[in-house]
Amino acid sequence: MKFGYFDDGNREYVITTPFTPYPWINYLGCEQFFSLISHTGGGYSFYQDARLRRLTRYRYNNIPLDEGGRCFYLKDGEDVWSPSFRPMKKELSFYECRHGLGYTKISGARGGLRAEQLFFVPLGFHGEVIQLKLANETEQAKTLSLFSFLEFCLWDAQDDQTNFQRNLSTGEVEVQGSVIYHKTEYRERRNHYAFYSVNAELAGFDTDRESFLGLYNGLHEPQVVLAGRSNNSLASGWSPIASHHLQVELAPGQSKTLIFILGYVENPKDEKWASPGVINKQRAKEMIARFETEAQVEEALRELKAYWDSLLRKYQVASGDEKLDRMVNIWNPYQCMVTFNMSRSASYFESGIGRGMGFRDSNQDLLGFVHQVPQRARQRILDIASTQFEDGSAYHQYQPLTKRGNHAIGSGFNDDPLWLIVGTAAYIKETGDFSILDEEVPFDSDPSNTASLFEHLKRSYYHVVNNLGPHGLPLIGRADWNDCLNLNCFSEEPGESFQTTGPSEGPVAESVFIAGLFVYAAHDFIELCRRRGLESLAAEAEQQRANVAEAVMEHGWDGQWFLRAYDAFGQKVGSKECAEGQIFIEPQGFCVMAGLGVEDGRAEQALDSTARLLETEHGIVLHTPAYTKYYTNLGEISSYPPGYKENAGIFCHNNPWVIIAETVLGRGERAFELYKKICPAYREEISELHRLEPYVYAQMIAGRDAVNFGQAKNSWLTGTAAWNYAAISQAILGIKPDFDGLRIDPCIPPQWDGFQIQREFRGAVYSIQVKNPNHVSKGVAQIRVDGREIAGNLLPLFTEGVHEVEVILG
């Protein structure tokens, strides 16, 4: 069952009913100001940091779900309704939500009145613009009241939800004309405030929640709206809100447009006050003046669409499969950019409070967005590297506002350092910018203690070399990629953190996954050493790579697949010897991606075992059999019910590793079959089961042991987006950046006749026609560039122009 449809021409997903199986959301903003918005107007806004600069309040686990956000009420005679359906939830004669790239349009109609709402964050703007068009579609004049409503968060979202003894006394506002200013704590250490404006004269306003709603009323029954008049309340403590009341008269067929702005302003310390106790509103007024007219809004929306045009045109495919094309051309790179901005901090599953930017996460995310915004990717790499320690280890997370490491989580996740090599190599391959390796980068954000980025990569590499266990495999530390495989935790107390309890150093738990990642990353690190003339270091690194590869093949092979790990007692994890959790997905994918076992057939055995034991109709489960009890030597992974999350759920993030591994073996049909199983566009028909947005990837789909097999959780912010983009664009379609140019190496289903790719790369445009006359899966027989045949499959580098490339597979 579907709840809408893709409008590929407008690059929108159109939701045709408010009754989706879960709130389906979009993200507004692509620079510093961001908003989450659901298909009924829910969500919240923040500046840079979803915890420390939250403008509007949002309640997770609310009843009903997704209450709050941006509310509008229309009082048409005695009929009161909301054009987004919620919160009044009156039946609408028409409803539509169009989620586009950086904007959302929600339309509703009732009683001959039509309301169209446009929500977006303009480029270079620290605020959200809401354009509301009202149209009288009857033959009688209408006089109606419009009420806006949003609830302010007291900046620090964590403190906002916990420190009531203070916060219920701190709320402060100002009202001037048609603008409501939220200035809580502005009198002390803050120099920022928020405002909510409208470009029309007010009939009234409210800034105190209780005065607007009534103490015992919900958002679906605000006493001010039902009475049809505002109280002009000024919040003093308690819960500040912003509500405008406007009287609107519409002749038959007439329409009227109103423009609301939710904005964020920072003032220099010496410019905070206009007069004692009165905030300096100059910057807010300048922001409001930018969007006084429809023409200004339309121009800003055009600029936003042009911005997304410029990003998405970097890679475009025409395959003849509309689902594949819409994911590669629109939704997958869009999700990658949103994930670049958010990391894992703010979604409808991440509260924006508990997590900052992940060291591992952000490096992997680079794979999906580096070709779109290479300069921002460069800065992200330097930000990430600056949270590394001198020994090569790193903070697991950092806060985006301060760019400092998160002490609450700390370090000791021993895969983290290697991802810096993967991310940096991806950036250099895309841009050819080797100069980034010479940038001086702090250790632990200390500007007095720096080293070149290359030295950081060297420390990353040797952090593994210097932390090998008794089998010659890397020590796992707190955890490797799977944060829930906690082999050094041994927690028996409820509420303890699995990631920070117990020692990360000392125990001998080892990770075969990190070993595979090490061998995979070693190829690029060694190449960078050689390009810097460091032959002795390259030779030494090559020997270390060989040592770990040998250890994997000797101690990490279980007969038909790769082991997952050795626990702190030296016992195997992910072995046929285990009663539960006999085979895991991660090492099967990454070890084969690293080339381990390819020559002697063990790679093929591992992938065949994956297909036989782990694959389901909804994707590949993380391991099998599921854990049916809690194991203290394994940690959080065994704390979940069978089939959910890391306990034998379909963790979509690691499915593309197997997809890519299949292309290493040349099995294009298998690779594309696996791609389609978790790709959201191919799951749209089962939206009632999948539940989440059919236009973006989810982190997890419930596994076959779960009660709700096939049901997804945690959409949008997941490494799934970047890795699936890499899997389809580089491994299957085979257009892969390399240090010296684009390498062409498709691995496709043999029945495909071919496809076309347009790829912008280092200033030039490559128009690539791939033909498959012999119906093979893999192998390039001939490449012609601008009519001339070249040797090999590495395209020559150009700095400008459009270049025609013909590729014949065979």
Side-chain angles (χ1 to χ4, degrees):
M1 179 180 177
K2 297 199 294 185
F3 298 84
Y5 60 92
F6 286 96
D7 182 345
D8 295 332
N10 288 310
R11 297 188 305 202
E12 297 171 338
Y13 191 83
V14 185
I15 302 168
T16 54
T17 171
F19 299 106
T20 55
Y22 202 79
W24 288 359
I25 74 166
N26 194 13
Y27 285 81
L28 315 179
C30 46
E31 294 163 320
Q32 297 190 80
F33 190 95
F34 302 99
S35 296
L36 289 73
I37 182 167
S38 75
H39 69 294
T40 57
Y44 59 90
S45 302
F46 61 93
Y47 174 76
Q48 289 191 346
D49 192 307
R51 172 177 171 175
L52 300 177
R53 294 293 184 271
R54 183 87 62 102
L55 272 72
T56 56
R57 186 174 281 161
Y58 187 77
R59 295 172 180 82
Y60 287 82
N61 280 330
N62 208 352
I63 303 174
L65 193 64
D66 198 31
E67 281 284 80
R70 314 138 186 86
C71 300
F72 288 98
Y73 302 88
L74 290 165
K75 190 172 193 299
D76 183 9
E78 295 303 309
D79 187 24
V80 179
W81 58 284
S82 297
S84 299
F85 178 70
R86 195 194 46 78
M88 291 305 295
K89 296 190 287 188
K90 295 286 184 68
E91 183 178 353
L92 302 177
S93 58
F94 175 81
Y95 165 86
E96 181 183 84
C97 171
R98 289 180 169 265
H99 283 321
L101 305 184
Y103 67 88
T104 287
K105 296 178 181 177
I106 305 176
S107 302
R110 179 179 168 92
L113 182 64
R114 186 182 182 92
E116 297 180 354
Q117 303 158 94
L118 167 67
F119 307 84
F120 73 108
V121 174
L123 297 174
F125 193 69
H126 296 165
E128 178 181 327
V129 173
I130 306 170
Q131 180 177 269
L132 176 60
K133 291 185 178 181
L134 299 174
N136 181 1
E137 298 180 330
T138 72
E139 296 180 358
Q140 290 80 38
K142 282 183 176 288
T143 299
L144 55 101
S145 284
L146 169 68
F147 295 86
S148 67
F149 172 87
L150 58 79
E151 185 175 6
F152 289 114
C153 177
L154 305 189
W155 299 117
D156 183 330
Q158 172 76 28
D159 187 81
D160 180 72
Q161 295 187 21
T162 54
N163 194 5
F164 302 114
Q165 61 84 27
R166 169 181 166 82
N167 293 340
L168 294 180
S169 296
T170 60
E172 288 188 283
V173 298
E174 287 184 28
V175 180
Q176 186 181 80
S178 298
V179 189
I180 297 166
Y181 297 88
H182 175 228
K183 64 175 187 177
T184 298
E185 293 186 339
Y186 188 79
R187 68 172 60 241
E188 41 152 318
R189 293 162 294 178
R190 297 185 185 276
N191 65 337
H192 48 262
Y193 61 84
F195 67 86
Y196 195 32
S197 68
V198 63
N199 65 337
E201 185 177 345
L202 299 185
F205 64 86
D206 278 288
T207 67
D208 175 72
R209 189 181 72 194
E210 184 177 327
S211 299
F212 178 79
L213 293 177
L215 180 59
Y216 296 106
N217 292 1
L219 291 175
H220 65 291
E221 51 184 358
Q223 62 182 13
V224 158
V225 177
L226 296 179
R229 59 181 179 277
S230 296
N231 289 323
N232 294 342
S233 59
L234 288 171
S236 179
W238 299 107
S239 299
I241 65 160
S243 173
H244 309 93
H245 176 203
L246 299 103
Q247 295 280 6
V248 181
E249 294 187 359
L250 294 172
Q254 185 185 9
S255 63
K256 183 170 186 178
T257 299
L258 298 161
I259 300 168
F260 297 81
I261 299 174
L262 171 64
Y264 173 89
V265 172
E266 282 186 5
N267 281 328
K269 289 184 178 180
D270 58 352
E271 297 179 22
K272 285 183 69 170
W273 305 102
S275 60
V278 178
I279 61 176
N280 181 347
K281 304 177 180 65
Q282 181 58 36
R283 287 173 174 79
K285 292 177 179 178
E286 291 170 358
M287 291 174 68
I288 294 167
R290 287 184 57 183
F291 297 103
E292 292 180 331
T293 68
E294 278 189 84
Q296 290 172 307
V297 172
E298 289 170 1
E299 177 59 26
L301 186 61
R302 277 195 295 270
E303 291 174 356
L304 181 65
K305 290 182 176 182
Y307 168 81
W308 283 107
D309 283 340
S310 70
L311 298 187
L312 297 186
R313 73 181 181 215
K314 304 276 180 78
Y315 192 120
Q316 291 283 297
V317 62
S319 70
D321 181 336
E322 65 176 10
K323 295 177 181 177
L324 171 63
D325 291 355
R326 70 171 56 115
M327 289 307 301
V328 173
N329 296 340
I330 305 170
W331 293 101
N332 198 172
Y334 179 55
Q335 184 180 5
C336 287
M337 280 301 300
V338 169
T339 305
F340 157 66
N341 287 322
M342 301 291 109
S343 189
R344 309 297 179 271
S345 63
S347 73
Y348 265 35
F349 296 87
E350 299 283 4
S351 68
I353 294 173
R355 297 182 66 175
M357 311 290 277
F359 191 98
R360 168 204 304 143
D361 296 336
S362 294
N363 274 300
Q364 290 182 87
D365 294 343
L366 275 157
L367 304 176
F369 73 79
V370 62
H371 67 294
Q372 298 185 85
V373 286
Q375 285 305 309
R376 296 180 71 187
R378 190 183 204 274
Q379 187 58 52
R380 176 61 56 83
I381 289 169
L382 300 177
D383 290 344
I384 296 167
S386 68
T387 66
Q388 193 174 24
F389 297 106
E390 288 185 86
D391 69 351
S393 62
Y395 282 107
H396 194 49
Q397 297 174 11
Y398 69 96
Q399 292 304 127
L401 189 66
T402 64
K403 296 184 180 179
R404 291 186 173 272
N406 185 344
H407 287 275
I409 301 296
S411 62
F413 297 75
N414 283 356
D415 67 310
D416 275 349
L418 290 171
W419 293 112
L420 185 61
I421 298 174
V422 174
T424 302
Y427 167 77
I428 295 174
K429 289 176 182 178
E430 179 64 34
T431 62
D433 176 20
F434 288 89
S435 71
I436 191 175
L437 298 174
D438 298 315
E439 290 282 351
E440 285 292 310
V441 182
F443 290 110
D444 194 13
S445 302
D446 180 0
S448 68
N449 182 16
T450 70
S452 69
L453 178 62
F454 180 79
E455 180 63 26
H456 280 259
L457 300 188
K458 180 182 174 183
R459 305 275 179 104
S460 295
Y461 192 82
Y462 278 88
H463 184 266
V464 174
V465 173
N466 297 331
N467 289 276
L468 298 176
H471 296 94
L473 298 166
L475 296 176
I476 197 170
R478 295 282 182 207
D480 56 16
W481 171 87
N482 187 338
D483 283 342
C484 296
L485 185 62
N486 314 119
L487 304 183
N488 297 317
C489 177
F490 312 113
S491 175
E492 295 185 344
E493 296 296 324
E496 285 183 332
S497 166
F498 287 101
Q499 282 73 50
T500 59
T501 300
S504 64
E505 300 175 2
V508 295
E510 299 167 282
S511 168
V512 176
F513 166 76
I514 296 180
L517 173 59
F518 177 79
V519 176
Y520 177 84
H523 175 80
D524 286 334
F525 177 69
I526 293 165
E527 182 64 21
L528 291 175
C529 290
R530 290 188 172 130
R531 287 172 182 256
R532 292 176 73 81
L534 303 172
E535 291 297 336
S536 60
L537 179 60
E540 183 180 302
E542 178 60 47
Q543 184 59 54
Q544 300 293 355
R545 186 207 65 81
N547 292 344
V548 173
E550 183 179 350
V552 171
M553 302 313 291
E554 183 176 353
H555 300 292
W557 181 253
D558 198 52
Q560 291 182 297
W561 57 79
F562 292 100
L563 290 173
R564 180 61 176 84
Y566 285 90
D567 70 12
F569 305 102
Q571 299 172 339
K572 295 176 181 178
V573 179
S575 166
K576 60 180 178 295
E577 300 172 14
C578 303
E580 299 179 328
Q582 294 179 343
I583 176 174
F584 281 69
I585 183 177
E586 302 102 305
Q588 318 316 322
F590 239 96
C591 287
V592 177
M593 286 168 62
L596 294 168
V598 172
E599 293 183 0
D600 64 9
R602 282 190 273 186
E604 187 174 358
Q605 272 187 285
L607 295 185
D608 288 347
S609 296
T610 300
R612 185 175 73 257
L613 300 172
L614 297 174
E615 189 178 339
T616 77
E617 64 191 277
H618 297 296
I620 306 169
V621 298
L622 193 140
H623 68 261
T624 197
Y627 294 114
T628 58
K629 63 180 182 179
Y630 175 58
Y631 295 84
T632 56
N633 64 313
L634 300 180
E636 187 175 2
I637 190 171
S638 60
S639 71
Y640 288 104
Y644 291 108
K645 288 280 283 178
E646 284 80 358
N647 187 13
I650 298 163
F651 220 85
C652 300
H653 185 150
N654 50 39
N655 272 236
W657 299 342
V658 174
I659 295 171
I660 296 169
E662 289 286 2
T663 68
V664 170
L665 298 188
R667 305 200 298 197
E669 189 161 15
R670 286 283 301 130
F672 192 62
E673 181 183 352
L674 293 173
Y675 171 79
K676 291 192 293 183
K677 287 192 174 187
I678 63 168
C679 182
Y682 291 92
R683 296 177 62 82
E684 185 190 14
E685 298 285 351
I686 56 168
S687 288
E688 77 283 1
L689 170 63
H690 186 79
R691 292 196 76 191
L692 300 186
E693 296 93 338
Y695 42 91
V696 293
Y697 283 96
Q699 178 206 63
M700 192 277 291
I701 297 170
R704 61 190 167 205
D705 299 286
V707 173
N708 300 305
F709 178 35
Q711 187 181 93
K713 289 191 179 78
N714 200 357
S715 59
W716 280 98
L717 306 185
T718 165
T720 305
W723 273 113
N724 271 285
Y725 188 75
I728 187 62
S729 68
Q730 297 183 18
I732 295 177
L733 297 176
I735 315 300
K736 187 171 185 176
D738 211 334
F739 291 116
D740 295 314
L742 283 176
R743 193 169 298 281
I744 311 300
D745 189 19
C747 186
I748 60 176
Q751 60 268 28
W752 283 16
D753 294 320
F755 54 89
Q756 290 179 291
I757 299 277
Q758 182 162 300
R759 178 66 156 91
E760 293 186 11
F761 185 72
R762 302 192 193 177
V765 176
Y766 295 81
S767 180
I768 304 168
Q769 175 82 44
V770 178
K771 299 178 180 179
N772 190 20
N774 300 308
H775 291 282
V776 299
S777 276
K778 192 177 179 75
V780 173
Q782 184 185 65
I783 296 181
R784 300 179 70 86
V785 179
D786 294 332
R788 298 177 59 184
E789 186 171 348
I790 66 169
N793 66 345
L794 186 68
L795 299 186
L797 274 174
F798 300 98
T799 58
E800 61 182 5
V802 178
H803 301 275
E804 300 295 330
V805 180
E806 183 184 57
V807 180
I808 307 297
L809 302 183

